[in-house]
Amino acid sequence: MININMPDLTQAQWLIHGLVFACNLLLLFFAKPVINRIDPGQDHSTALRFFVTINVLFLVLHIFDLLLMTITTSYENLFIKMAHSALCFYASVLIFKIGNVFFRKRFGKVKTFEEETIYLDSYSSRIVEIIFLVVVFLLTTYTLIKIWEMDSLLETTGIFGIIIGFIALTSNAWAPDILSGLIILNTKILEDGDVVVVDGYKDEYIIHKVSFIYTILYDIRNNHRTFIRNKRFIESKIDNLSRIASTDGIRKSLSYKIGYPALSSSDCNVRQSSLEDFNRRIDKLFSTANEMAIAKKGLPIKDQKEFEWYLTNTGDYALEYTLFVYLESVPTTKITSLARKHLLSSLYTINAIVLEAATIAGLELKTPDLLVLDNERSSRH
């Protein structure tokens, strides 16, 4: 005959069991509204069945555990360990689902449909979700080991210990790149489709995607696909041409060398008049180029902003003038030809316009060769 005795539990332990039952029943009956609250507007039928199954399984195992404690005193709490394992899976899936919602809002794509904001997965959000999945998996495995009191697996000779040791020994090779990739994704200063200039490289690049270890770039000048490790990429000075610092636009410069004016007269008034006439021709050159550029269709000049020009160098053979133009910010794109047309072809077109304007102004865009002859040798000839 089986003796049935009440489990030898303290009042506090009975209270904990009662609270666990109550929480389990609440989660069982309110699983659907809770899931819909976490991630509204999505199909949660599979997740709902999983959570309800875990709730029912935990409830049954908990009841079996209490019944066995009333029947025998040598019971080793097998069912409560199974219940705790089910609860561990429940919590892991719930945390992962909450994390996915957060990452989708933080790194995903935002679309508005019928005045409703919808967050969609993107490549960046999936990358972060995979990393988060690995973290949740490791924590879940560690918790299960502690629940089943299998601490030997955590020792250096255990399987889990060997895995942790391997990860620790190799972390210097991959951890900095993963952390750098997460920094790139989290700051949102650099995003897919942005056109950037990396310090140490003369070409402009389009960011294609950020992976675990490296970033894929498209070279807009020669259509090459470039790989650079995340750590090295983020340690460089990066100019993002798609995100300008001023509403004036992207400031680009073009340099031109023009020969010195003829100032051989001994009369200072004549020399000053010649210099003023030369400066007026320079102003006419660039102002005419400005008008022609604004009138030309297809040039992405920012808000019809006027050109600026300055005498930036007085060299031995020529005067160097720098023309500053303001272009609209580069559109977010992964098409190299579009970015190339915006950044490079525009400057080439302005170069041609300046040449035409120089012809109109009667100036030559070249550095003359100046020959200085010795007076004695000149007199002999």
Side-chain angles (χ1 to χ4, degrees):
M1 183 175 180
I2 300 175
N3 294 323
I4 299 177
N5 300 313
M6 291 298 292
D8 187 14
L9 301 175
T10 63
Q11 186 176 0
Q13 290 174 326
W14 278 114
L15 179 62
I16 292 173
H17 279 282
L19 289 175
V20 169
F21 267 111
C23 291
N24 190 37
L25 291 174
L26 288 174
L27 288 174
L28 178 61
F29 290 111
F30 294 100
K32 186 174 181 179
V34 168
I35 296 174
N36 288 332
R37 179 69 176 175
I38 293 173
D39 191 11
Q42 302 291 329
D43 182 16
H44 303 295
S45 56
T46 303
L48 182 61
R49 286 194 298 270
F50 172 81
F51 287 127
V52 170
T53 302
I54 294 293
N55 271 289
V56 173
L57 180 62
F58 181 83
L59 184 63
V60 171
L61 291 172
H62 199 169
I63 293 173
F64 280 179
D65 179 73
L66 291 177
L67 289 176
L68 285 174
M69 282 193 295
T70 62
I71 295 173
T72 178
T73 57
S74 60
Y75 172 57
E76 296 181 354
N77 298 323
L78 175 63
F79 284 104
I80 198 62
K81 288 181 180 179
M82 295 174 62
H84 288 163
S85 300
L87 180 62
C88 180
F89 282 114
Y90 185 99
S92 299
V93 174
L94 183 62
I95 292 172
F96 182 69
K97 192 166 187 63
I98 294 173
N100 284 354
V101 174
F102 172 77
F103 295 137
R104 194 186 308 129
K105 290 182 179 180
R106 185 70 178 83
F107 304 104
K109 299 177 182 178
V110 182
K111 288 189 176 181
T112 303
F113 180 74
E114 295 181 354
E115 299 183 355
E116 181 182 358
T117 302
I118 300 175
Y119 298 93
L120 303 175
D121 282 318
S122 65
Y123 178 82
S124 300
S125 66
R126 291 192 181 98
I127 285 288
V128 180
E129 286 174 8
I130 292 173
I131 297 174
F132 184 61
L133 175 62
V134 174
V135 174
V136 172
F137 173 77
L138 292 176
L139 291 176
T140 303
T141 305
Y142 176 80
T143 305
L144 290 173
I145 290 174
K146 300 301 288 186
I147 289 174
W148 291 94
E149 299 177 356
M150 302 172 66
D151 293 347
S152 60
L153 294 176
L154 300 176
E155 297 176 357
T156 55
T157 56
I159 296 177
F160 203 69
I162 293 174
I163 294 174
I164 293 176
F166 175 78
I167 292 174
L169 290 174
T170 59
S171 60
N172 289 335
W174 50 265
D177 292 311
I178 291 180
L179 291 176
S180 299
L182 290 176
I183 291 172
I184 295 172
L185 295 175
N186 184 60
T187 56
K188 289 191 174 182
I189 297 175
L190 301 169
E191 294 185 343
D192 293 355
D194 286 352
V195 179
V196 298
V197 177
V198 184
D199 189 30
Y201 303 89
K202 64 178 182 178
D203 294 349
E204 299 85 0
Y205 298 93
I206 296 175
I207 298 177
H208 175 57
K209 66 172 62 173
V210 180
S211 68
F212 289 111
I213 305 298
Y214 54 83
T215 299
I216 303 175
L217 305 172
Y218 289 163
D219 191 330
I220 70 171
R221 290 179 182 262
N222 50 36
N223 292 339
H224 288 175
R225 179 175 295 196
T226 304
F227 297 83
I228 184 171
R229 295 189 63 169
N230 290 336
K231 183 175 182 293
R232 184 177 180 184
F233 182 58
I234 202 171
E235 284 179 349
S236 306
K237 183 179 78 71
I238 304 171
D239 296 325
N240 192 339
L241 304 184
S242 298
R243 297 169 184 259
I244 56 178
S246 171
T247 56
D248 290 339
I250 301 175
R251 194 170 190 249
K252 287 289 186 178
S253 62
L254 296 168
S255 296
Y256 301 96
K257 291 183 178 180
I258 302 175
Y260 279 87
L263 302 175
S264 58
S265 175
S266 60
D267 190 343
C268 65
N269 292 327
V270 174
R271 291 199 303 272
Q272 184 176 2
S273 176
S274 299
L275 181 60
E276 291 175 353
D277 179 66
F278 177 78
N279 288 333
R280 282 194 293 270
R281 291 165 65 192
I282 293 294
D283 290 339
K284 181 180 179 182
L285 158 64
F286 291 119
S287 60
T288 302
N290 187 16
E291 295 171 359
M292 294 171 65
I294 291 177
K296 190 173 184 63
K297 296 181 179 180
L299 279 179
I301 299 174
K302 178 69 174 180
D303 297 333
Q304 307 295 313
K305 187 171 178 60
E306 295 183 354
F307 293 174
E308 298 174 1
W309 56 90
Y310 303 97
L311 175 61
T312 53
N313 188 22
T314 52
D316 292 335
Y317 298 101
L319 298 171
E320 183 175 351
Y321 288 87
T322 302
L323 176 67
F324 295 96
V325 300
Y326 294 87
L327 303 179
E328 295 177 354
S329 58
V330 185
T332 301
T333 180
K334 292 187 179 181
I335 303 174
T336 55
S337 59
L338 180 61
R340 183 166 55 245
K341 179 180 179 182
H342 190 99
L343 282 176
L344 304 180
S345 299
S346 301
L347 296 181
Y348 300 154
T349 302
I350 293 174
N351 238 347
I353 290 174
V354 171
L355 176 60
E356 184 178 352
T359 304
I360 296 173
L363 293 170
E364 294 184 354
L365 303 179
K366 67 178 183 179
T367 303
D369 291 330
L370 301 180
L371 300 177
V372 179
L373 301 178
D374 184 74
N375 289 333
E376 292 185 6
R377 294 176 61 186
S378 301
S379 61
R380 285 198 212 113
H381 293 288

